Amino acid sequence: MTMSSTSGISSEISMDKFLTLFVTQLQNQNPLDPTDNSEFMSQLAQFSIVEQEQQQTGYLSSMTSIGTASLQLDQLTMASTFIGKTITYSSDSKKDQTFAGVVEGVKLEKDGTVSFVVDGKSVSISNLIKVGG
């Protein structure tokens, strides 16, 4: 059981599964030609590295999620200051076409972006041109 490459290791493998396999390997080795201790230590070290990388990936993923949620909250907070104010905004399809309306509310879209609600329609914050008449 050599673990020379981390690409072949499933992310589902746990330390318990690895240790079970490791003990089975020890129990079934040839007593007249035992496996070298350094190979066992190498396998343990490689698995430990893989496990640490998986933990770091999970940590970074959760930090990214927290960062995204924080950014969305900041955008919602900023956008809510526009409620009741008249804004001028561009069209989604034709950037040279502009509209004006009063911001009735703000909402978080399914794709994670924040939009103004103007005349019952969603207007992306990125389409904002100016505030006031």
Side-chain angles (χ1 to χ4, degrees), residues 17-29:
K17 289 179 184 176
F18 175 77
L19 290 175
T20 301
L21 288 170
F22 190 71
V23 168
T24 302
Q25 183 180 4
L26 284 173
Q27 290 172 339
N28 294 312
Q29 68 179 329

Side-chain angles (χ1 to χ4, degrees), residues 47-79:
F47 184 78
S48 177
I49 290 169
V50 169
E51 188 175 44
Q52 287 174 357
E53 287 174 354
Q54 289 174 347
Q55 289 172 352
Q56 288 173 347
T57 300
Y59 174 76
L60 291 174
S61 177
S62 68
M63 292 307 293
T64 300
S65 296
I66 291 169
T68 300
S70 177
L71 179 60
Q72 289 171 338
L73 181 59
D74 290 346
Q75 289 178 340
L76 280 169
T77 302
M78 184 276 305

Side-chain angles (χ1 to χ4, degrees), residues 5 18 22 30 33 35-37 51 55-56 94 113 116 124 126 128 132:
S5 169
F18 175 77
F22 190 71
N30 183 349
D33 185 23
T35 306
D36 185 21
N37 286 341
E51 188 175 44
Q55 289 172 352
Q56 288 173 347
K94 298 178 182 175
T113 61
F116 297 116
S124 174
S126 62
L128 177 66

Side-chain angles (χ1 to χ4, degrees), residues 66-83 103 105-117 123-128:
I66 291 169
T68 300
S70 177
L71 179 60
Q72 289 171 338
L73 181 59
D74 290 346
Q75 289 178 340
L76 280 169
T77 302
M78 184 276 305
S80 68
T81 64
F82 289 84
I83 295 174
V103 177
V106 294
K107 70 178 188 175
L108 183 62
E109 301 289 347
K110 289 181 182 179
D111 65 358
T113 61
V114 176
S115 296
F116 297 116
V117 177
V123 176
S124 174
I125 288 180
S126 62
N127 290 8
L128 177 66

